[in-house]
Amino acid sequence: MPIYEYECRHCGDRFEVTQSINDKPLKRCSKCEGVLMKVFHPVGVVFKGNGFYITDNRKKANGDKGIKKAEAKKEEAKDKVST
């Protein structure tokens, strides 16, 4: 079951509650009867696997060939322009 964090708007008390997803959210603080609101936290995202960024770890045999060909074409183009 997920753990939800609540904060009282009146007294500022923060606490965690284990609730089912189907349970209704709490509305009143048990200390002062003030209004509660859920506290949301940002979630860190980690991309794993290949194909997300150019700097990914990939097999050197396939990756280097494409890069070397592209660099060779650029050099050829520069040579043609300079002559």
Side-chain angles (χ1 to χ4, degrees):
M1 278 207 260
I3 299 172
Y4 295 99
E5 185 175 355
Y6 288 92
E7 181 176 1
C8 177
R9 289 185 177 186
H10 185 260
C11 69
D13 184 39
R14 277 190 171 205
F15 58 93
E16 294 177 346
V17 178
T18 304
Q19 291 180 305
S20 170
I21 293 174
N22 299 324
D23 290 346
K24 292 186 178 185
L26 301 178
K27 296 187 180 199
R28 294 289 172 187
C29 178
S30 60
K31 291 184 179 181
C32 72
E33 293 297 318
V35 177
L36 291 175
M37 65 179 184
K38 279 188 181 178
V39 179
F40 294 98
H41 298 281
V43 178
V45 177
V46 178
F47 295 105
K48 292 187 177 183
N50 55 9
F52 289 105
Y53 301 101
I54 190 104
T55 57
D56 279 348
N57 294 334
R58 61 183 180 261
K59 294 179 182 177
K60 297 291 183 186
N62 294 338
D64 287 346
K65 289 180 184 176
I67 293 171
K68 288 180 182 177
K69 286 181 183 178
E71 289 175 358
K73 286 182 181 179
K74 286 181 184 177
E75 290 297 322
E76 288 176 12
K78 285 181 184 177
D79 291 340
K80 289 180 182 178
V81 171
S82 63
T83 43

